[in-house]
Amino acid sequence: MTPTSSRDLDGVAQDDGWIGGLNWVRLREAALYGKDAWGQERELVAKLVRDFPELGLLFGRLEAGRARAVRLLAADRQLRQWIHCGPGYPATTAEGDTYRIVLPHNPHRKVLYLTDNPVIAAHSRALRTTSQAGQVRVITTDPADPWRPFQVRQHPDIDGWLDWDQPIVVVFGDTWMHYPGPTEQAVEVIDEWVDQLVDGSYTVSAHLQLPDSEEGVHRAELLASMLASTPIGPLRFRTPAEIESLYPKQQMYDVERGPIQEPDRGTPAPTLLDGWVVDRVGQVTGSRSAGPAPSAYTARTVEVMRYTGYTKMQLRRLAKTGRIPAVKGPMGEYLFDLDEVLQIIETWKDIEFKGRKPPGCLPLHYPDVPVDGTW
């Protein structure tokens, strides 16, 4: 979770930051020209860009990298539980928001947002909503909790909602760029996080890598020193070896880079940012084994009818002919994997759109439940 202000190693806030002090989340909002930034953060951004005009691009690059990593993992339909630490305001990068990437066509997935900012929590509850109840939950944690993962797991609003014996994707984002202690202590905290997860879980995070050019080092030191003189504190630039150490008991993967996303008002496009920001996905392999996977075939015919627009007769015919996978329950009723059915229908729609005949019939009408990313 992105800290809101300068903190000591126990996570105790020296300056709360949400009432009147500067904080990182609103600085990010100002750099991306979001509507929820305050005047003091906008003033600070205006000062910073005089010497560091790439600031907006840097924040855009961080947001874009996180979204790419989430999309990569969201393609695995077996990953149904997600935790996003320090999400920021919902509207800044709405299309790249974790729940908008993860939830469409997957009504059994869940996304938990963790924030120590009550304002962001209120925004999230109001705007990060879905038509399927129980898919999104937002909790406000103690500022120190990101450094105490066991306390996060024991939070009363999480207990029983997430299944910790099944894989979970933890999206840290830029959390570790601001950890107040040395890298060795950050490794210990991440190790505690991993111990709460089962093998097959994933972590997603972005890091600032120490540049290997004289110009890059100068620019990095400039930005770090400018922020160090504010209550926000410095950014943490790390060596490749230090970044690799932040993935204990995990297999580390590099996320394929895409184009840098520019904010609304363009700034010079420096090539050095490509070497600064590294996006990493870690697959947990050395924690503990996952429990037996729950059966995916739990959706009754009436539930699938509501989400797809198929009639009962159509679903029975598709199940009987094997065009849609299903199993028979104790009473002889077909049970479906709703996520799988929705994915199959989207594939059939795409085939029909390309002028070819899909292997199964499409519904005669479409349901009222949106399936375009607004679950």
Side-chain angles (χ1 to χ4, degrees):
M1 183 178 303
T2 303
T4 59
S5 59
S6 299
R7 304 187 187 282
D8 62 23
L9 295 185
D10 294 325
V12 179
Q14 298 172 356
D15 173 9
D16 184 277
W18 291 114
I19 303 302
L22 292 164
N23 66 74
W24 173 260
V25 175
R26 287 200 299 264
L27 179 71
R28 179 171 61 186
E29 186 79 356
L32 293 172
Y33 310 112
K35 64 180 180 60
D36 291 300
W38 288 11
Q40 55 190 349
E41 279 80 20
R42 296 187 192 278
E43 291 177 5
L44 177 57
V45 166
K47 293 178 181 178
L48 292 175
V49 297
R50 294 172 189 168
D51 295 315
F52 195 84
E54 307 94 339
L55 186 66
L57 286 170
L58 174 61
F59 280 93
R61 173 66 179 80
L62 291 169
E63 296 289 330
R66 174 195 50 75
R68 281 195 300 275
V70 170
R71 287 191 183 95
L72 177 69
L73 294 176
D76 186 345
R77 293 176 46 255
Q78 301 305 312
L79 296 174
R80 296 189 170 186
Q81 304 181 112
W82 299 66
I83 298 176
H84 188 149
C85 301
Y89 289 95
T92 302
T93 53
E95 296 307 314
D97 207 329
T98 297
Y99 85 104
R100 288 187 176 272
I101 298 172
V102 169
L103 299 185
H105 319 305
N106 294 278
H108 290 151
R109 284 182 172 177
K110 297 177 179 179
V111 176
L112 173 72
Y113 287 101
L114 301 180
T115 177
D116 62 354
N117 176 357
V119 178
I120 288 180
H123 277 245
S124 295
R125 294 188 182 104
L127 299 177
R128 288 184 171 118
T129 59
T130 69
S131 59
Q132 173 73 358
Q135 282 196 285
V136 175
R137 188 167 291 188
V138 182
I139 66 170
T140 306
T141 66
D142 183 273
D145 278 349
W147 321 136
R148 296 197 295 257
F150 184 73
Q151 277 78 350
V152 172
R153 177 172 176 173
Q154 298 301 312
H155 194 287
D157 290 338
I158 300 178
D159 188 32
W161 190 67
L162 293 180
D163 184 354
W164 293 86
D165 289 326
Q166 296 298 320
I168 297 174
V169 179
V170 182
V171 181
F172 289 118
D174 54 17
T175 295
W176 306 112
M177 291 162 44
H178 308 281
Y179 184 71
T183 298
E184 292 78 8
Q185 289 184 341
V187 172
E188 294 176 2
V189 176
I190 296 172
D191 190 41
E192 291 179 20
W193 265 103
V194 170
D195 284 342
Q196 306 305 316
L197 306 173
V198 298
D199 288 356
S201 298
Y202 290 86
T203 65
V204 175
S205 53
H207 309 277
L208 290 179
Q209 183 171 280
L210 279 172
D212 56 6
S213 68
E214 184 176 344
E215 178 196 4
V217 170
H218 172 72
R219 304 290 286 159
E221 291 177 347
L222 175 64
L223 179 60
S225 64
M226 288 189 296
L227 287 175
S229 62
T230 74
I232 293 172
L235 298 177
R236 305 278 173 172
F237 286 83
R238 293 186 170 93
T239 65
E242 287 177 319
I243 292 174
E244 186 173 354
S245 73
L246 293 172
Y247 291 84
K249 303 176 186 175
Q250 299 172 76
Q251 176 67 47
M252 186 173 63
Y253 297 93
D254 194 355
V255 179
E256 183 180 356
R257 292 195 179 108
I260 296 175
Q261 289 189 353
E262 296 191 28
D264 294 339
R265 296 198 294 272
T267 55
T271 57
L272 64 86
L273 287 185
D274 287 333
W276 281 27
V277 181
V278 291
D279 307 303
R280 293 291 185 267
V281 169
Q283 182 182 17
V284 177
T285 58
S287 181
R288 56 191 177 93
S289 299
S295 173
Y297 295 92
T298 58
R300 298 179 59 189
T301 301
V302 64
E303 184 181 3
V304 179
M305 289 169 58
R306 181 168 69 89
Y307 275 93
T308 64
Y310 278 119
T311 66
K312 184 176 182 180
M313 186 68 69
Q314 285 177 315
L315 287 172
R316 289 184 62 183
R317 186 180 299 115
L318 290 169
K320 189 174 182 179
T321 58
R323 287 181 172 87
I324 290 182
V327 297
K328 280 193 174 182
M331 305 302 293
E333 178 187 14
Y334 281 111
L335 299 176
F336 302 85
D337 178 348
L338 183 55
D339 293 344
E340 187 174 35
V341 171
L342 293 172
Q343 291 286 353
I344 290 173
I345 293 175
E346 287 304 306
T347 301
W348 290 353
K349 288 179 184 178
D350 184 59
I351 291 174
E352 185 181 59
F353 178 77
K354 293 177 180 177
R356 293 180 287 151
K357 182 177 176 60
C361 63
L362 288 169
L364 299 177
H365 65 281
Y366 295 102
D368 294 331
V369 178
V371 291
D372 60 354
T374 56
W375 285 94

